[in-house]
Amino acid sequence: MRGCVVSVALAGLVIGAGCAAPGRPTAGMRIDRAGLKHRALEYLRQAVGDGSNPAVRVAAVESLRWSDDPESLPWIRTALADPHPGVRFAGAVAVGELRDEAARSRVARLLDDSEDSVRAAAIFALHRLGDKRPTAQLGTMLLQDKDPLVRRNATMLLGMLGEPGSVPILARAMADRDPGVRQQALEAMARLGNVDARQELVFMTNAGVGADEVFALQALDRAGDPAFIDTFRYKLGAADHVETRLAAANGLARFGIQDGYELAMETARAPRATSGDPNDPAAGQMLRMRLLACKVLGTIGRADALPLLDRLLEESDDARVRVGAALAMLRIVNRDPGLFAGNTGATRSAGERG
């Protein structure tokens, strides 16, 4: 395989009752912020070493990248030597995003990796660390590599570099025979501010095909432009597909709008498959919904979501869900330390969880 696209009980957590203002702990609720953060980070660090499933390792590396925890850098660096190319790819991207200078020599060795996608990630990381000499190779990969997965990854990485000068070469990728490359190019150009790409994504949000709508909304979300708030609000209220509504909710949450909170809580508790498509099994649908719901809760950042996320971290039988719950917990406790000021934690029995 040459391509490796990557997208994709705490004793003493809380006790108390009453009504809470949005984003604030319930009256009388005491939250052990340090304990929660430690628990979530420890799970993610352990998941980086999950030998049974590389998808879990990829998700854990990506989550640690957003954890705002410098002490997790050694775990991210271990991914650079992982036997699976997808994990090495995720590790190199994380090193680049975090500008981890201490990992420079290890990333440089990946320029000789047997997998082209891993080499592309190493080029990205070195560019972010200030070495732009190999960067032009990303354009060559995008236009010439025979593997569509490699072309997708090169396209995505060019968009992540944030260099507006990449738009002309990304525009050429819109003629690629692979639809995945064309989608990545569209998103990359939108992230770089291309007006035509952004308009095309807005059009796609009304495609009537759930997967296309979710892609378009997530791409607009990553563009980070408040001009799309009305689009997100409309799709949250009018879309037929739960995944589409959740993607719209995350776009709103980026700007502090919590309209999708109840939908995310309901879906995280009990996702329901909505499509009878034999090519999209119910289990896969429910996994995607639950992961997206956790993401929305983390973006919104309300402390009253922590008990549910804690339960998912403890009880879910899918390690990917536990990773998603752990990251959401970290985003919440890191969001506003004032939420937890003066809280020392409290004992909570198993019957009180969730």
Side-chain angles (χ1 to χ4, degrees):
M1 183 186 71
R2 300 174 66 231
C4 46
V5 168
V6 296
S7 2
V8 153
L10 176 65
L13 169 61
V14 296
I15 187 169
C19 296
R24 295 281 165 184
T26 303
M29 179 188 292
R30 289 175 288 165
I31 298 178
D32 179 6
R33 178 177 181 269
L36 264 178
K37 185 170 185 175
H38 175 78
R39 168 171 157 71
L41 283 172
E42 282 302 300
Y43 178 76
L44 293 176
R45 291 167 180 171
Q46 292 173 15
V48 171
D50 185 333
S52 63
N53 191 341
V56 173
R57 301 200 298 276
V58 167
V61 170
E62 292 179 333
S63 296
L64 285 175
R65 160 181 142 198
W66 297 111
S67 68
D68 192 28
D69 177 56
E71 293 184 4
S72 292
L73 290 175
W75 279 265
I76 292 174
R77 293 170 196 150
T78 65
L80 300 174
D82 194 275
H84 194 279
V87 184
R88 298 197 301 277
F89 180 96
V93 171
V95 165
E97 288 283 83
L98 297 171
R99 291 184 169 89
D100 180 12
E101 184 64 39
R104 177 188 289 268
S105 61
R106 289 184 239 188
V107 166
R109 287 196 289 271
L110 294 181
L111 291 175
D112 296 321
D113 197 274
S114 60
E115 301 285 340
D116 286 350
S117 283
V118 177
R119 293 198 303 107
I123 292 167
F124 166 83
L126 290 172
H127 181 104
R128 293 294 297 267
L129 290 169
D131 183 357
K132 301 181 181 182
R133 291 173 296 176
T135 304
Q137 295 179 42
L138 288 177
T140 302
M141 290 179 177
L142 184 158
L143 296 175
Q144 298 182 10
D145 201 283
K146 295 181 180 179
D147 189 333
L149 294 178
V150 175
R151 299 199 302 275
R152 292 180 194 181
N153 282 323
T155 305
M156 178 185 72
L157 293 169
L158 279 171
M160 291 174 65
L161 283 177
E163 302 283 356
S166 299
V167 169
I169 195 168
L170 290 167
R172 292 176 63 185
M174 290 298 296
D176 195 282
R177 61 187 177 277
D178 178 69
V181 175
R182 296 196 298 272
Q183 280 196 341
Q184 288 289 352
L186 189 64
E187 176 176 343
M189 288 191 294
R191 290 181 68 167
L192 295 174
N194 183 266
V195 175
D196 290 340
R198 292 184 173 195
Q199 289 177 341
E200 178 64 20
L201 287 170
V202 171
F203 177 79
M204 286 182 66
T205 64
N206 295 304
V209 178
D212 288 347
E213 292 183 349
V214 171
F215 159 75
L217 288 164
Q218 290 180 328
L220 291 174
D221 180 2
R222 284 187 279 266
D225 190 334
F228 304 121
I229 286 177
D230 287 344
T231 298
F232 296 138
R233 202 187 298 274
Y234 172 74
K235 295 307 295 186
L236 174 62
D240 293 329
H241 303 95
V242 173
E243 288 178 76
T244 299
R245 295 176 64 204
L246 287 168
N250 200 72
L252 290 172
R254 174 188 286 271
F255 299 102
I257 301 170
Q258 302 184 10
D259 292 8
Y261 178 76
E262 294 301 332
L263 172 66
M265 288 289 286
E266 176 185 349
T267 307
R269 286 192 192 99
R272 293 192 293 265
T274 57
S275 169
D277 184 350
N279 296 316
D280 189 13
Q285 294 180 49
M286 291 188 289
L287 173 63
R288 293 196 308 268
M289 289 180 189
R290 184 163 261 166
L291 289 174
L292 192 46
C294 287
K295 181 179 180 179
V296 173
L297 294 174
T299 305
I300 289 176
R302 284 176 54 162
D304 45 347
L306 288 170
L308 173 60
L309 293 167
D310 177 57
R311 191 183 74 189
L312 291 175
L313 179 58
E314 179 185 355
E315 299 178 0
S316 176
D317 58 3
D318 193 307
R320 291 166 293 184
V321 173
R322 294 198 295 273
V323 168
L327 176 58
M329 289 165 63
L330 285 173
R331 296 188 70 187
I332 292 171
V333 299
N334 287 337
R335 180 185 179 93
D336 181 4
L339 291 176
F340 310 95
N343 293 320
T344 58
T347 302
R348 186 167 65 114
S349 69
E352 292 173 307
R353 293 190 185 109

PDB file of all heavy atoms in Angstrom, residues 285-307:
ATOM      1  N   GLN A 285     -22.277   3.705  10.082  1.00  0.00           N
ATOM      2  CA  GLN A 285     -23.019   4.959  10.225  1.00  0.00           C
ATOM      3  C   GLN A 285     -23.003   5.441  11.673  1.00  0.00           C
ATOM      4  O   GLN A 285     -22.759   6.624  11.948  1.00  0.00           O
ATOM      5  CB  GLN A 285     -24.468   4.775   9.771  1.00  0.00           C
ATOM      6  CG  GLN A 285     -24.655   4.491   8.301  1.00  0.00           C
ATOM      7  CD  GLN A 285     -26.126   4.327   7.963  1.00  0.00           C
ATOM      8  OE1 GLN A 285     -26.956   5.144   8.348  1.00  0.00           O
ATOM      9  NE2 GLN A 285     -26.454   3.261   7.248  1.00  0.00           N
ATOM     10  N   MET A 286     -23.285   4.518  12.592  1.00  0.00           N
ATOM     11  CA  MET A 286     -23.371   4.910  13.999  1.00  0.00           C
ATOM     12  C   MET A 286     -22.017   5.330  14.548  1.00  0.00           C
ATOM     13  O   MET A 286     -21.920   6.250  15.367  1.00  0.00           O
ATOM     14  CB  MET A 286     -23.979   3.772  14.820  1.00  0.00           C
ATOM     15  CG  MET A 286     -25.452   3.548  14.511  1.00  0.00           C
ATOM     16  SD  MET A 286     -26.263   2.359  15.616  1.00  0.00           S
ATOM     17  CE  MET A 286     -25.504   0.825  15.060  1.00  0.00           C
ATOM     18  N   LEU A 287     -20.953   4.685  14.071  1.00  0.00           N
ATOM     19  CA  LEU A 287     -19.617   5.096  14.497  1.00  0.00           C
ATOM     20  C   LEU A 287     -19.320   6.518  14.028  1.00  0.00           C
ATOM     21  O   LEU A 287     -18.852   7.356  14.815  1.00  0.00           O
ATOM     22  CB  LEU A 287     -18.575   4.125  13.942  1.00  0.00           C
ATOM     23  CG  LEU A 287     -17.109   4.539  14.164  1.00  0.00           C
ATOM     24  CD1 LEU A 287     -16.776   4.600  15.643  1.00  0.00           C
ATOM     25  CD2 LEU A 287     -16.166   3.571  13.437  1.00  0.00           C
ATOM     26  N   ARG A 288     -19.593   6.800  12.756  1.00  0.00           N
ATOM     27  CA  ARG A 288     -19.336   8.151  12.240  1.00  0.00           C
ATOM     28  C   ARG A 288     -20.140   9.195  13.008  1.00  0.00           C
ATOM     29  O   ARG A 288     -19.619  10.264  13.346  1.00  0.00           O
ATOM     30  CB  ARG A 288     -19.681   8.224  10.746  1.00  0.00           C
ATOM     31  CG  ARG A 288     -18.790   7.401   9.841  1.00  0.00           C
ATOM     32  CD  ARG A 288     -18.947   7.834   8.389  1.00  0.00           C
ATOM     33  NE  ARG A 288     -20.342   7.858   7.955  1.00  0.00           N
ATOM     34  CZ  ARG A 288     -20.976   6.843   7.379  1.00  0.00           C
ATOM     35  NH1 ARG A 288     -20.345   5.682   7.206  1.00  0.00           N
ATOM     36  NH2 ARG A 288     -22.235   6.952   6.986  1.00  0.00           N
ATOM     37  N   MET A 289     -21.405   8.882  13.275  1.00  0.00           N
ATOM     38  CA  MET A 289     -22.250   9.837  13.986  1.00  0.00           C
ATOM     39  C   MET A 289     -21.724  10.111  15.386  1.00  0.00           C
ATOM     40  O   MET A 289     -21.664  11.258  15.835  1.00  0.00           O
ATOM     41  CB  MET A 289     -23.683   9.306  14.075  1.00  0.00           C
ATOM     42  CG  MET A 289     -24.434   9.300  12.762  1.00  0.00           C
ATOM     43  SD  MET A 289     -26.096   8.649  13.003  1.00  0.00           S
ATOM     44  CE  MET A 289     -26.633   8.503  11.292  1.00  0.00           C
ATOM     45  N   ARG A 290     -21.353   9.049  16.079  1.00  0.00           N
ATOM     46  CA  ARG A 290     -20.879   9.234  17.458  1.00  0.00           C
ATOM     47  C   ARG A 290     -19.572  10.012  17.486  1.00  0.00           C
ATOM     48  O   ARG A 290     -19.376  10.891  18.332  1.00  0.00           O
ATOM     49  CB  ARG A 290     -20.726   7.873  18.126  1.00  0.00           C
ATOM     50  CG  ARG A 290     -20.331   7.930  19.586  1.00  0.00           C
ATOM     51  CD  ARG A 290     -20.606   6.618  20.278  1.00  0.00           C
ATOM     52  NE  ARG A 290     -21.855   6.662  21.029  1.00  0.00           N
ATOM     53  CZ  ARG A 290     -22.489   5.598  21.507  1.00  0.00           C
ATOM     54  NH1 ARG A 290     -22.011   4.386  21.246  1.00  0.00           N
ATOM     55  NH2 ARG A 290     -23.593   5.727  22.214  1.00  0.00           N
ATOM     56  N   LEU A 291     -18.668   9.723  16.559  1.00  0.00           N
ATOM     57  CA  LEU A 291     -17.409  10.462  16.505  1.00  0.00           C
ATOM     58  C   LEU A 291     -17.653  11.937  16.193  1.00  0.00           C
ATOM     59  O   LEU A 291     -17.030  12.827  16.791  1.00  0.00           O
ATOM     60  CB  LEU A 291     -16.485   9.851  15.453  1.00  0.00           C
ATOM     61  CG  LEU A 291     -15.882   8.491  15.788  1.00  0.00           C
ATOM     62  CD1 LEU A 291     -15.112   7.934  14.597  1.00  0.00           C
ATOM     63  CD2 LEU A 291     -14.969   8.577  17.001  1.00  0.00           C
ATOM     64  N   LEU A 292     -18.556  12.203  15.263  1.00  0.00           N
ATOM     65  CA  LEU A 292     -18.850  13.586  14.913  1.00  0.00           C
ATOM     66  C   LEU A 292     -19.544  14.301  16.061  1.00  0.00           C
ATOM     67  O   LEU A 292     -19.275  15.485  16.325  1.00  0.00           O
ATOM     68  CB  LEU A 292     -19.706  13.623  13.643  1.00  0.00           C
ATOM     69  CG  LEU A 292     -19.901  14.964  12.939  1.00  0.00           C
ATOM     70  CD1 LEU A 292     -18.585  15.720  12.789  1.00  0.00           C
ATOM     71  CD2 LEU A 292     -20.536  14.738  11.573  1.00  0.00           C
ATOM     72  N   ALA A 293     -20.414  13.597  16.782  1.00  0.00           N
ATOM     73  CA  ALA A 293     -21.069  14.191  17.938  1.00  0.00           C
ATOM     74  C   ALA A 293     -20.054  14.555  19.019  1.00  0.00           C
ATOM     75  O   ALA A 293     -20.138  15.635  19.624  1.00  0.00           O
ATOM     76  CB  ALA A 293     -22.118  13.235  18.496  1.00  0.00           C
ATOM     77  N   CYS A 294     -19.094  13.676  19.270  1.00  0.00           N
ATOM     78  CA  CYS A 294     -18.038  13.994  20.237  1.00  0.00           C
ATOM     79  C   CYS A 294     -17.262  15.229  19.796  1.00  0.00           C
ATOM     80  O   CYS A 294     -16.930  16.096  20.610  1.00  0.00           O
ATOM     81  CB  CYS A 294     -17.094  12.807  20.398  1.00  0.00           C
ATOM     82  SG  CYS A 294     -17.771  11.407  21.322  1.00  0.00           S
ATOM     83  N   LYS A 295     -16.979  15.310  18.501  1.00  0.00           N
ATOM     84  CA  LYS A 295     -16.253  16.472  17.988  1.00  0.00           C
ATOM     85  C   LYS A 295     -17.028  17.751  18.235  1.00  0.00           C
ATOM     86  O   LYS A 295     -16.465  18.769  18.670  1.00  0.00           O
ATOM     87  CB  LYS A 295     -15.992  16.287  16.491  1.00  0.00           C
ATOM     88  CG  LYS A 295     -15.221  17.433  15.854  1.00  0.00           C
ATOM     89  CD  LYS A 295     -14.978  17.155  14.376  1.00  0.00           C
ATOM     90  CE  LYS A 295     -14.195  18.292  13.725  1.00  0.00           C
ATOM     91  NZ  LYS A 295     -13.930  18.006  12.290  1.00  0.00           N
ATOM     92  N   VAL A 296     -18.341  17.723  17.986  1.00  0.00           N
ATOM     93  CA  VAL A 296     -19.175  18.907  18.204  1.00  0.00           C
ATOM     94  C   VAL A 296     -19.155  19.308  19.678  1.00  0.00           C
ATOM     95  O   VAL A 296     -19.010  20.494  20.017  1.00  0.00           O
ATOM     96  CB  VAL A 296     -20.618  18.650  17.731  1.00  0.00           C
ATOM     97  CG1 VAL A 296     -21.523  19.817  18.103  1.00  0.00           C
ATOM     98  CG2 VAL A 296     -20.652  18.425  16.221  1.00  0.00           C
ATOM     99  N   LEU A 297     -19.282  18.332  20.561  1.00  0.00           N
ATOM    100  CA  LEU A 297     -19.278  18.640  21.993  1.00  0.00           C
ATOM    101  C   LEU A 297     -17.948  19.261  22.411  1.00  0.00           C
ATOM    102  O   LEU A 297     -17.912  20.194  23.223  1.00  0.00           O
ATOM    103  CB  LEU A 297     -19.565  17.379  22.804  1.00  0.00           C
ATOM    104  CG  LEU A 297     -20.975  16.797  22.629  1.00  0.00           C
ATOM    105  CD1 LEU A 297     -21.099  15.471  23.367  1.00  0.00           C
ATOM    106  CD2 LEU A 297     -22.040  17.779  23.121  1.00  0.00           C
ATOM    107  N   GLY A 298     -16.850  18.755  21.872  1.00  0.00           N
ATOM    108  CA  GLY A 298     -15.551  19.335  22.191  1.00  0.00           C
ATOM    109  C   GLY A 298     -15.415  20.749  21.663  1.00  0.00           C
ATOM    110  O   GLY A 298     -14.827  21.612  22.317  1.00  0.00           O
ATOM    111  N   THR A 299     -15.960  21.007  20.466  1.00  0.00           N
ATOM    112  CA  THR A 299     -15.878  22.347  19.889  1.00  0.00           C
ATOM    113  C   THR A 299     -16.741  23.327  20.669  1.00  0.00           C
ATOM    114  O   THR A 299     -16.340  24.470  20.911  1.00  0.00           O
ATOM    115  CB  THR A 299     -16.305  22.330  18.413  1.00  0.00           C
ATOM    116  OG1 THR A 299     -15.513  21.372  17.698  1.00  0.00           O
ATOM    117  CG2 THR A 299     -16.116  23.688  17.767  1.00  0.00           C
ATOM    118  N   ILE A 300     -17.927  22.890  21.070  1.00  0.00           N
ATOM    119  CA  ILE A 300     -18.800  23.761  21.856  1.00  0.00           C
ATOM    120  C   ILE A 300     -18.170  24.072  23.206  1.00  0.00           C
ATOM    121  O   ILE A 300     -18.179  25.213  23.675  1.00  0.00           O
ATOM    122  CB  ILE A 300     -20.192  23.116  22.024  1.00  0.00           C
ATOM    123  CG1 ILE A 300     -20.934  23.153  20.678  1.00  0.00           C
ATOM    124  CG2 ILE A 300     -21.006  23.827  23.105  1.00  0.00           C
ATOM    125  CD1 ILE A 300     -22.276  22.451  20.694  1.00  0.00           C
ATOM    126  N   GLY A 301     -17.634  23.047  23.863  1.00  0.00           N
ATOM    127  CA  GLY A 301     -16.870  23.271  25.089  1.00  0.00           C
ATOM    128  C   GLY A 301     -17.680  23.409  26.360  1.00  0.00           C
ATOM    129  O   GLY A 301     -17.201  23.982  27.340  1.00  0.00           O
ATOM    130  N   ARG A 302     -18.889  22.860  26.388  1.00  0.00           N
ATOM    131  CA  ARG A 302     -19.709  22.971  27.596  1.00  0.00           C
ATOM    132  C   ARG A 302     -19.317  21.909  28.621  1.00  0.00           C
ATOM    133  O   ARG A 302     -19.242  20.719  28.323  1.00  0.00           O
ATOM    134  CB  ARG A 302     -21.189  22.843  27.249  1.00  0.00           C
ATOM    135  CG  ARG A 302     -21.742  24.095  26.616  1.00  0.00           C
ATOM    136  CD  ARG A 302     -23.173  23.968  26.176  1.00  0.00           C
ATOM    137  NE  ARG A 302     -24.086  23.524  27.227  1.00  0.00           N
ATOM    138  CZ  ARG A 302     -25.403  23.684  27.149  1.00  0.00           C
ATOM    139  NH1 ARG A 302     -25.943  24.278  26.079  1.00  0.00           N
ATOM    140  NH2 ARG A 302     -26.178  23.259  28.117  1.00  0.00           N
ATOM    141  N   ALA A 303     -19.111  22.357  29.847  1.00  0.00           N
ATOM    142  CA  ALA A 303     -18.688  21.442  30.905  1.00  0.00           C
ATOM    143  C   ALA A 303     -19.739  20.398  31.228  1.00  0.00           C
ATOM    144  O   ALA A 303     -19.414  19.306  31.704  1.00  0.00           O
ATOM    145  CB  ALA A 303     -18.332  22.231  32.165  1.00  0.00           C
ATOM    146  N   ASP A 304     -21.023  20.698  30.969  1.00  0.00           N
ATOM    147  CA  ASP A 304     -22.059  19.727  31.299  1.00  0.00           C
ATOM    148  C   ASP A 304     -22.072  18.535  30.343  1.00  0.00           C
ATOM    149  O   ASP A 304     -22.831  17.585  30.556  1.00  0.00           O
ATOM    150  CB  ASP A 304     -23.440  20.386  31.390  1.00  0.00           C
ATOM    151  CG  ASP A 304     -23.737  21.356  30.253  1.00  0.00           C
ATOM    152  OD1 ASP A 304     -22.810  21.722  29.525  1.00  0.00           O
ATOM    153  OD2 ASP A 304     -24.910  21.763  30.118  1.00  0.00           O
ATOM    154  N   ALA A 305     -21.241  18.542  29.315  1.00  0.00           N
ATOM    155  CA  ALA A 305     -21.097  17.364  28.462  1.00  0.00           C
ATOM    156  C   ALA A 305     -20.077  16.372  29.019  1.00  0.00           C
ATOM    157  O   ALA A 305     -19.991  15.234  28.550  1.00  0.00           O
ATOM    158  CB  ALA A 305     -20.680  17.781  27.049  1.00  0.00           C
ATOM    159  N   LEU A 306     -19.306  16.778  30.023  1.00  0.00           N
ATOM    160  CA  LEU A 306     -18.215  15.937  30.510  1.00  0.00           C
ATOM    161  C   LEU A 306     -18.677  14.589  31.078  1.00  0.00           C
ATOM    162  O   LEU A 306     -18.024  13.572  30.831  1.00  0.00           O
ATOM    163  CB  LEU A 306     -17.393  16.694  31.553  1.00  0.00           C
ATOM    164  CG  LEU A 306     -16.513  17.814  30.979  1.00  0.00           C
ATOM    165  CD1 LEU A 306     -15.934  18.665  32.104  1.00  0.00           C
ATOM    166  CD2 LEU A 306     -15.390  17.244  30.124  1.00  0.00           C
ATOM    167  N   PRO A 307     -19.777  14.523  31.840  1.00  0.00           N
ATOM    168  CA  PRO A 307     -20.176  13.198  32.344  1.00  0.00           C
ATOM    169  C   PRO A 307     -20.455  12.195  31.237  1.00  0.00           C
ATOM    170  O   PRO A 307     -20.067  11.034  31.338  1.00  0.00           O
ATOM    171  CB  PRO A 307     -21.429  13.509  33.169  1.00  0.00           C
ATOM    172  CG  PRO A 307     -21.254  14.930  33.608  1.00  0.00           C
ATOM    173  CD  PRO A 307     -20.586  15.602  32.440  1.00  0.00           C
TER     174      PRO A 307
END
